Amino acid sequence: MKILLVEDDIEISTMLKNFLITENFEVITALDGESACEKFFSDNFSLVLLDLMIPKMNGIEVMSKIREHNTVPIIIISAKDTDSDKTLGLGLGADDYITKPFSVTEVLARIKANIRRSTQYSKPEEQEVLMMGDLTINLTNYTVEKNGTKIDLTAKEFEILKLLVQNPQKVYTKEQMYSLIWNDAYLGDENAVNVHISRLRNKIEEHPRSPKYIITVWGIGYKLGDLS
């Protein structure tokens, strides 16, 4: 992973660079704000370590330019340690703030934590999609399509469908369904379940009075239809 280190104190810059290289990071250094921007926009970096008090263009200006185009993690390293300085830096787009003097192990820990968070957020979320007859059910983003056309379900309707498709062999009583979907004690009001089942069938079934997806098990409750 490549880090851009922006620090005009050559001694600090050299110390940090040498240490991070031993930790298997590739480190590109810049001694002023202008060269920092030139290097950043001509390469790809996993993280930026940025001093605020640098010549030609200060750290806040550098950070503002980076944030116009990129969400790369930025850790400020600064001798300015007041709460207002930290608030300003974090408010303008920094992900973390380390005050001088610091230990290299602290810097390393912060680098790893910020890169880890950035990597997790940038990964496309794995989609859990189920195909059932004419239906495509995306359990990740709560969408349902029938023959490629989106069907608008309410949250409760989707939860009922999700419950059944994730447990295809199970028959649910109205009491069980109410308790699981509404997260509340069942007080004998089966009308809530019946109404939602009826609405759901009207939306997903070709023939709601002769359903193939949501089957009534008389005297017990509901189950998923056998579409094999």
Side-chain angles (χ1 to χ4, degrees):
M1 290 186 177
K2 189 180 295 186
I3 292 175
L4 177 61
L5 171 57
V6 188
E7 170 62 70
D8 65 330
D9 185 315
I10 295 178
E11 186 176 339
I12 293 176
S13 178
T14 302
M15 175 193 67
L16 271 175
K17 179 178 180 178
N18 290 341
F19 175 75
L20 292 173
I21 288 173
T22 65
E23 295 293 328
N24 298 316
F25 289 100
E26 182 180 352
V27 182
I28 306 299
T29 60
L31 299 175
D32 61 73
E34 288 184 0
S35 63
C37 288
E38 289 174 6
K39 292 180 179 181
F40 179 83
F41 290 110
S42 63
D43 209 335
N44 292 310
F45 294 93
S46 299
L47 182 137
V48 178
L49 285 173
L50 178 63
D51 185 18
L52 291 182
M53 304 299 289
I54 49 178
K56 296 186 180 180
M57 184 187 296
N58 66 43
I60 295 297
E61 292 174 305
V62 172
M63 184 165 57
S64 296
K65 285 190 173 294
I66 290 175
R67 282 290 176 256
E68 288 176 3
H69 308 279
N70 201 294
T71 59
V72 63
I74 298 174
I75 300 178
I76 290 176
I77 298 178
S78 177
K80 303 174 73 173
D81 62 353
T82 66
D83 288 340
S84 59
D85 290 323
K86 294 178 182 178
T87 301
L88 175 63
L90 295 171
L92 290 175
D95 297 275
D96 212 340
Y97 197 110
I98 301 173
T99 57
K100 299 176 182 178
F102 54 79
S103 70
V104 289
T105 53
E106 178 191 7
V107 174
L108 177 63
R110 302 282 191 95
I111 288 172
K112 288 182 175 180
N114 278 278
I115 289 178
R116 183 167 58 249
R117 282 196 296 267
S118 172
T119 303
Q120 288 172 345
Y121 292 149
S122 64
K123 283 182 179 177
E125 189 176 12
E126 247 181 74
Q127 302 288 306
E128 185 179 357
V129 179
L130 298 178
M131 308 295 292
M132 189 177 74
D134 297 332
L135 300 180
T136 302
I137 305 164
N138 190 315
L139 301 180
T140 304
N141 62 20
Y142 277 53
T143 60
V144 177
E145 293 182 358
K146 183 175 181 179
N147 293 321
T149 301
K150 185 178 178 182
I151 299 174
D152 291 321
L153 301 184
T154 67
K156 289 289 190 292
E157 290 165 358
F158 188 91
E159 289 294 344
I160 290 172
L161 182 60
K162 179 180 178 181
L163 177 68
L164 295 176
V165 299
Q166 288 186 320
N167 302 277
Q169 305 303 317
K170 188 174 176 67
V171 177
Y172 285 93
T173 66
K174 294 174 184 177
E175 180 179 358
Q176 290 172 325
M177 192 170 283
Y178 188 90
S179 177
L180 291 167
I181 302 300
W182 276 261
N183 293 312
D184 199 2
Y186 182 68
L187 301 176
D189 182 13
E190 64 181 31
N191 190 53
V193 176
N194 291 341
V195 168
H196 281 79
I197 291 289
S198 177
R199 289 176 178 170
L200 180 57
R201 280 174 170 164
N202 285 333
K203 291 179 180 180
I204 68 172
E205 300 281 3
E206 196 70 34
H207 304 288
R209 292 184 179 274
S210 302
K212 65 176 182 178
Y213 293 113
I214 300 177
I215 305 301
T216 300
V217 180
W218 295 108
I220 302 177
Y222 300 100
K223 69 182 290 288
L224 189 71
D226 184 4
L227 300 174
S228 58

